[in-house]
Amino acid sequence: MVLKEEPQNPTATQLLSKTEKKLRESQLEEKSNGILFQEDEGDDDEKKAEQTACPVEPIQLVGGEDSLAAPTEKGNSQKKSYSRGDGGPHSKFNNSHHGHGKGKGGSSDKYKVTQESKEKLTDGTSKRGSTASPQDERNNTKGTSAGGGNSEPAVNLNAPHGALPPHLSRLKNEGNLLFKKGQFADALKKYSLAIQGYTDSGTDSVEDLCILYSNRAACYLKGGNSQDCIQDCTRALELQAFSLKPLLRRAMAYESLELYRKAYVDYKTVLQIDVSVQAAHDSVNRITRLLIEQDGPEWRKKLPNIPVVSLSAQQHRREEPPSVEVLQALAEKAARDAERKAEIRFAGLKLRGNDFVKKSKYQDALEKYTECLKLKPEECAIYTNRALCYLKLRRFTEAKQDCDAALKLDPVNKKAFYRRALANKGLKDYLACSSDLQEVLQLDPNVQEAEKELEEVTLLLRQSLADATLSKHRKSVPITEVDNNEETTSDLDSERSCKGDDVTINLHLTNAYEFGQAVNAARCHRNTVACAELLANTSPEMLPKFLSTQLDGDTIRFIMQALDSHLLEKDPNLVYQHLNQLHTANRFLVALMLQEKDGRHQMIQLFEHLSAVDCTEFTKKDVQNLANKYI
């Protein structure tokens, strides 16, 4: 305005010149900064274009060694990017002219940098163009975290990796961190240094070197360098055949170069290794359609040979070994399930066995009970049930064995005693049968079946003893003729001993024979007084020994009569002691079963009189317990 009025004004002219110079410098600086940041934006858009151009869902892995690039549909479309300033998904600029790019008439607003972008450039934290070292980035991350801003957790760059030396592990960690940040070129340099250092250090770890090549191949793939990606993947596969990630990355590189047959082979190999890789499934379907269009119906014949993957390399067939806790939990669950199933099966078998018994199908019932015992060998009731089946089938030995097993589990089982008694009866062991029946009656005196069986077995026992006596061979005695007026001394002595009213008994006895002779003499003369005197002079502890060979039913009845009639009033305690020892003699049970009704009546009468006596040496309860062994 001043120069219009005064064109020759030197002050205004000088001021205008300085202003124009500053304006030009400002525009140049602003343009330079805008281009730098716009390149970062372009890389982000390029990355977005790579992700959106490929319909394959990439495998999500961690770091450089665990990240796989996604393939494109056709050709090198990975290099496709949005136009500058087109307002792409990652654009941070307020562009007013969408889609005009760098053409003429484009607004200079696209080179304006926001305050946030300026702060990023100043701090050196932008993804691209940053000259800060990984250590600086880590320090900045820590500082930002301490200041309360949004930041990623700190990464330990010194974390070890396999058999790699510490400096190579750090290079690998730095490469992984740069890869995660999208700085693929920088990550590639780190991996290359690690590979070179591996060769120089003489480290022998094929697996670690394979991973380094695979990681660098991922960087090449991200940068659009498919040829070098294929080379690194091939090297990795030479080190470790059928490694999943190198195969998948090489397949993506082949597909980006439109080498669809080779890509198809690698994708199919990947699916042999791990059938769950969805990206490989999608790529196979897509490439199949392209090969059909390209080669026609005979497209399969033009494919290279697809390698056969060994079972050991097929990951989907491998199972990770379960932990100790998992194994323990599985074992407990299996034990509970087995116990529950066994319980259900046991109940069903037992029920069917009982039904067969009701229908008198004892052989079928026996088989069911046998299966029950395989499931529960400690079930007492099954032994007694099977013993019943054996009895019905007249297999007495097996029945007795089952009853013995039941009594081991339950020593007071009445059914086991009763059925063992029947088994012993079938085996003609009447003494054992009688003993078992008496056990039943002691446990329950109201069992009428046991009483009837005991009476029957007692008769059978008497008959068997009589038959045994008759079957014995008698000793032959020579017979000599004598005159009618002559008699032998022994015959005269015998006649006198039986017919005399009074009998003299030796009270100082030393053995069972002498005691037996004295008892027989007293019994022959029905002299209970002499028998009482004999018992009064005999120690109770010696009575079972003196009667061991002479004990029978008549002897027991005569001794009971002598004790009750003459000795009870004089010395009741001695009577109690004799009775307490008498039942321990040999053959006592046999002699007891041979007692007639009057003999049993004599026993009952003796114990009633003994129970009525007041004595300090024994009680009525003691007498009752003793009576149970006789009556």
Side-chain angles (χ1 to χ4, degrees):
M1 183 66 71
V2 173
L3 289 175
K4 286 183 180 181
E5 296 292 332
E6 299 179 10
Q8 301 301 326
N9 190 329
T11 303
T13 303
Q14 185 178 3
L15 181 61
L16 177 61
S17 177
K18 290 181 180 180
T19 302
E20 288 176 349
K21 183 178 179 180
K22 290 181 178 180
L23 181 60
R24 284 194 299 271
E25 291 176 355
S26 175
Q27 288 178 348
L28 288 173
E29 181 180 358
E30 182 178 358
K31 183 175 181 180
S32 176
N33 291 339
I35 291 172
L36 281 175
F37 195 83
Q38 189 68 20
E39 287 178 358
D40 179 59
E41 178 192 8
D43 287 341
D44 287 341
D45 292 342
E46 180 179 311
K47 182 178 179 181
K48 181 65 178 180
E50 290 175 7
Q51 294 175 352
T52 56
C54 179
V56 182
E57 180 183 357
I59 300 177
Q60 299 298 325
L61 302 170
V62 180
E65 65 183 78
D66 298 327
S67 301
L68 301 176
T72 57
E73 284 189 359
K74 287 188 178 181
N76 291 322
S77 59
Q78 288 176 323
K79 298 181 180 180
K80 179 182 176 182
S81 63
Y82 294 101
S83 60
R84 310 249 181 223
D86 62 353
H90 299 285
S91 178
K92 296 186 178 67
F93 305 101
N94 186 13
N95 298 327
S96 59
H97 301 281
H98 298 289
H100 293 288
K102 293 182 181 180
K104 267 187 174 183
S107 172
S108 62
D109 291 342
K110 69 179 180 177
Y111 295 111
K112 290 184 180 180
V113 182
T114 62
Q115 184 65 26
E116 181 183 0
S117 301
K118 288 181 180 180
E119 292 175 358
K120 287 185 177 181
L121 290 172
T122 304
D123 296 337
T125 57
S126 62
K127 285 187 178 180
R128 305 288 280 175
S130 174
T131 58
S133 65
Q135 182 67 27
D136 296 335
E137 291 177 358
R138 185 174 60 178
N139 295 336
N140 290 337
T141 302
K142 291 181 179 178
T144 306
S145 178
N150 295 329
S151 63
E152 297 180 358
V155 178
N156 182 12
L157 297 178
N158 295 318
H161 281 284
L164 291 177
H167 69 286
L168 298 183
S169 295
R170 181 177 179 84
L171 286 172
K172 182 180 177 183
N173 289 328
E174 290 174 352
N176 292 348
L177 181 62
L178 291 169
F179 190 96
K180 288 174 65 177
K181 292 183 176 183
Q183 300 177 17
F184 306 118
D186 296 334
L188 188 148
K189 294 178 182 178
K190 297 292 183 182
Y191 293 137
S192 297
L193 289 174
I195 292 172
Q196 183 61 40
Y198 178 94
T199 305
D200 297 340
S201 65
T203 305
D204 186 13
S205 177
V206 174
E207 182 179 359
D208 292 321
L209 185 59
C210 174
I211 293 173
L212 289 173
Y213 275 120
S214 179
N215 289 0
R216 192 170 72 173
C219 295
Y220 283 132
L221 189 62
K222 283 290 187 179
N225 190 348
S226 298
Q227 291 290 351
D228 288 340
C229 174
I230 292 171
Q231 289 181 6
D232 273 4
C233 289
T234 302
R235 291 171 186 165
L237 291 170
E238 289 173 354
L239 294 170
Q240 280 193 321
F242 303 119
S243 183
L244 181 65
K245 295 172 189 175
L247 270 172
L248 190 55
R249 287 166 182 164
R250 190 173 70 176
M252 293 175 181
Y254 280 141
E255 187 177 0
S256 69
L257 295 175
E258 299 184 6
L259 301 175
Y260 298 126
R261 296 170 187 165
K262 293 183 177 180
Y264 182 88
V265 170
D266 278 354
Y267 281 131
K268 293 294 286 185
T269 307
V270 167
L271 292 176
Q272 288 187 68
I273 298 171
D274 190 350
V275 74
S276 65
V277 181
Q278 187 60 40
H281 282 290
D282 296 339
S283 297
V284 166
N285 294 334
R286 182 175 61 256
I287 293 175
T288 299
R289 292 192 295 269
L290 294 173
L291 289 175
I292 291 174
E293 294 177 1
Q294 175 181 305
D295 300 331
E298 304 294 327
W299 64 275
R300 292 184 184 275
K301 296 181 179 180
K302 299 180 181 181
L303 290 174
N305 292 329
I306 299 175
V308 179
V309 179
S310 61
L311 291 176
S312 60
Q314 296 181 16
Q315 295 181 7
H316 65 279
R317 295 183 182 272
R318 301 179 192 167
E319 293 185 0
E320 291 294 331
S323 63
V324 177
E325 293 78 5
V326 172
L327 289 175
Q328 184 177 359
L330 291 175
E332 291 176 356
K333 183 178 182 300
R336 289 194 300 270
D337 292 343
E339 184 179 356
R340 180 177 56 82
K341 292 179 180 178
E343 187 68 32
I344 294 173
R345 187 164 182 265
F346 173 84
L349 289 171
K350 181 179 179 182
L351 182 62
R352 294 181 65 186
N354 294 344
D355 291 338
F356 282 132
V357 170
K358 293 176 182 178
K359 297 176 182 179
S360 300
K361 297 181 179 180
Y362 300 111
Q363 183 61 42
D364 295 334
L366 187 149
E367 294 174 358
K368 299 303 175 185
Y369 291 142
T370 301
E371 292 184 33
C372 285
L373 289 174
K374 292 179 181 178
L375 298 173
K376 284 189 176 184
E378 304 297 324
E379 194 70 19
C380 180
I382 301 301
Y383 283 108
T384 56
N385 289 0
R386 193 172 69 170
L388 175 62
C389 298
Y390 281 132
L391 288 172
K392 296 295 183 180
L393 297 172
R394 302 189 65 80
R395 295 167 62 176
F396 301 116
T397 302
E398 292 91 335
K400 182 180 178 181
Q401 291 173 354
D402 274 1
C403 291
D404 291 338
L407 289 171
K408 288 182 180 179
L409 298 171
D410 183 9
V412 292
N413 191 294
K414 292 186 295 184
K415 286 186 178 180
F417 275 120
Y418 182 73
R419 290 173 183 172
R420 189 172 71 174
L422 297 181
N424 286 323
K425 180 181 177 182
L427 295 171
K428 297 183 179 181
D429 189 353
Y430 302 121
L431 184 59
C433 175
S434 175
S435 177
D436 285 338
L437 291 173
Q438 289 179 16
E439 290 288 345
V440 174
L441 293 174
Q442 284 187 6
L443 293 170
D444 187 359
N446 298 321
V447 181
Q448 297 181 358
E449 294 85 352
E451 291 182 357
K452 293 179 181 179
E453 286 291 338
L454 184 58
E455 292 178 1
E456 182 180 349
V457 168
T458 301
L459 294 175
L460 291 173
L461 180 60
R462 289 176 180 173
Q463 183 178 355
S464 65
L465 290 174
D467 294 342
T469 301
L470 292 175
S471 63
K472 287 182 180 179
H473 297 286
R474 300 191 180 206
K475 184 178 180 181
S476 59
V477 178
I479 302 174
T480 56
E481 294 183 0
V482 296
D483 295 335
N484 294 334
N485 296 328
E486 295 180 0
E487 293 181 355
T488 62
T489 306
S490 60
D491 292 339
L492 291 173
D493 293 339
S494 176
E495 186 177 353
R496 292 193 190 100
S497 63
C498 293
K499 292 182 179 180
D501 294 333
D502 298 326
V503 60
T504 301
I505 297 177
N506 183 14
L507 300 179
H508 301 286
L509 306 176
T510 59
N511 54 54
Y513 175 77
E514 293 177 354
F515 186 87
Q517 291 293 323
V519 171
N520 287 335
R523 188 180 64 184
C524 184
H525 292 83
R526 298 180 178 86
N527 192 339
T528 55
V529 177
C531 183
E533 291 179 0
L534 179 63
L535 294 171
N537 288 275
T538 303
S539 172
E541 290 77 9
M542 297 301 298
L543 184 62
K545 296 180 180 179
F546 287 162
L547 292 174
S548 60
T549 59
Q550 303 291 330
L551 193 60
D552 56 21
D554 292 335
T555 301
I556 291 178
R557 180 176 59 81
F558 183 69
I559 290 174
M560 293 288 181
Q561 186 178 3
L563 291 174
D564 187 23
S565 302
H566 306 286
L567 196 57
L568 182 59
E569 294 180 359
K570 296 179 182 179
D571 192 351
N573 183 48
L574 182 60
V575 174
Y576 178 81
Q577 294 299 329
H578 276 306
L579 293 173
N580 195 33
Q581 294 294 329
L582 178 60
H583 71 86
T584 64
N586 294 336
R587 297 172 52 85
F588 174 78
L589 290 176
V590 177
L592 189 63
M593 286 189 295
L594 297 176
Q595 284 288 319
E596 300 290 345
K597 288 185 178 181
D598 56 346
R600 292 182 179 275
H601 178 71
Q602 184 66 51
M603 286 184 188
I604 295 172
Q605 182 178 344
L606 172 59
F607 281 106
E608 287 179 351
H609 293 164
L610 184 62
S611 178
V613 174
D614 293 331
C615 185
T616 58
E617 284 78 4
F618 57 86
T619 63
K620 291 184 178 181
K621 186 175 181 180
D622 295 335
V623 176
Q624 182 62 38
N625 292 335
L626 185 59
N628 291 334
K629 298 177 181 179
Y630 286 83
I631 302 173

